[in-house]
């Protein structure tokens, strides 16, 4: 709460209930998709009157939808950082052949693919579809649900 600090760089811990800010004017979030529900709820409390800059190479579907519908402003950096390949995003109806072509094109350029589903319960179905349309694909699953009692 003192005014001796102009900028704070930190992790999710800055969103803990014990933290407070005297005159927060700008909050910059790198890799928004790594934030959980609790952190985002806390952000809503902190950021009521604060400008928020969210950075992401791969925007989460909800954020992308909000920017496409005009709820959030969005800016796009059109060139990748040095030594990185550009990200190409499309928004359209589900099409297995489009997914297959996109995966094959990405792997041909020695890139990597992330296939995001909105619910953990849909992981198995998505996994089966990916293995069916791209039989040589090596697929792994990851999610953030913690085991009960943790």
């Amino acid at each position: 709460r003192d005014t001796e600090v102009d900028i704070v760089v930190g992790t999710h811990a800055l969103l803990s209930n014990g933290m407070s800010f005297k005159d927060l004017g700008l909050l910059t979030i790198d890799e928004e998709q790594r934030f959980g529900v609790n952190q985002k709820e806390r952000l809503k409390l902190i950021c009521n009157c604060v400008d928020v800059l969210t950075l992401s190479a791969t925007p989460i579907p909800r954020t992308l939808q909000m920017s496409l519908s005009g709820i959030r402003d969005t800016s796009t950096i059109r060139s990748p950082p040095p030594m990185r390949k550009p990200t190409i995003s499309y928004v359209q109806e589900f099409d297995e052949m489009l997914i297959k072509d996109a995966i094959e094109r990405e792997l041909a350029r020695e890139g990597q693919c992330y296939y995001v589903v909105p619910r953990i319960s849909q992981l198995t179905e998505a996994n089966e579809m990916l293995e069916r349309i791209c039989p040589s694909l090596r697929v792994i699953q990851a999610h953030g649900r913690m085991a009960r009692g943790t």
Side-chain angles (χ1 to χ4, degrees):
R1 280 197 158 274
D2 69 38
T3 56
E4 294 178 22
V5 176
D6 294 317
I7 186 167
V8 177
V9 177
T11 64
H12 293 76
L14 291 174
L15 300 175
S16 66
N17 288 331
M19 293 295 293
S20 62
F21 303 94
K22 182 175 182 179
D23 187 23
L24 185 61
L26 174 66
L27 174 65
T28 303
I29 301 170
D30 191 15
E31 298 297 335
E32 179 193 22
Q33 70 272 15
R34 295 178 186 252
F35 278 61
V37 174
N38 291 339
Q39 287 91 9
K40 289 186 179 184
E41 290 301 317
R42 177 76 175 137
L43 282 173
K44 288 178 188 175
L45 295 173
I46 293 174
C47 302
N48 193 21
C49 297
V50 175
D51 293 323
V52 179
L53 173 64
T54 302
L55 309 171
S56 180
T58 53
I60 59 175
R62 183 170 183 262
T63 300
L64 184 59
Q65 175 61 29
M66 289 171 67
S67 67
L68 291 173
S69 65
I71 294 172
R72 281 179 103 168
D73 291 330
T74 183
S75 297
T76 304
I77 298 173
R78 301 243 180 250
S79 58
M83 307 300 294
R84 298 287 300 268
K85 295 179 180 179
T87 299
I88 302 170
S89 299
Y90 298 93
V91 178
Q92 60 190 79
E93 290 188 32
F94 182 83
D95 180 346
E96 284 187 4
M97 292 314 300
L98 177 68
I99 293 167
K100 180 182 192 299
D101 292 343
I103 290 171
E104 289 173 348
R105 192 170 40 253
E106 184 62 19
L107 295 179
R109 70 177 199 131
E110 298 182 15
Q112 59 182 322
C113 300
Y114 293 89
Y115 188 88
V116 180
V117 296
R119 292 185 169 65
I120 292 173
S121 62
Q122 296 172 322
L123 283 171
T124 301
E125 180 182 344
N127 198 102
E128 290 169 354
M129 183 269 301
L130 291 169
E131 289 175 341
R132 186 180 73 254
I133 65 173
C134 299
S136 62
L137 198 64
R138 185 176 62 104
V139 179
I140 62 169
Q141 294 181 12
H143 62 77
R145 179 178 287 165
M146 298 179 71
R148 292 183 188 270
T150 305

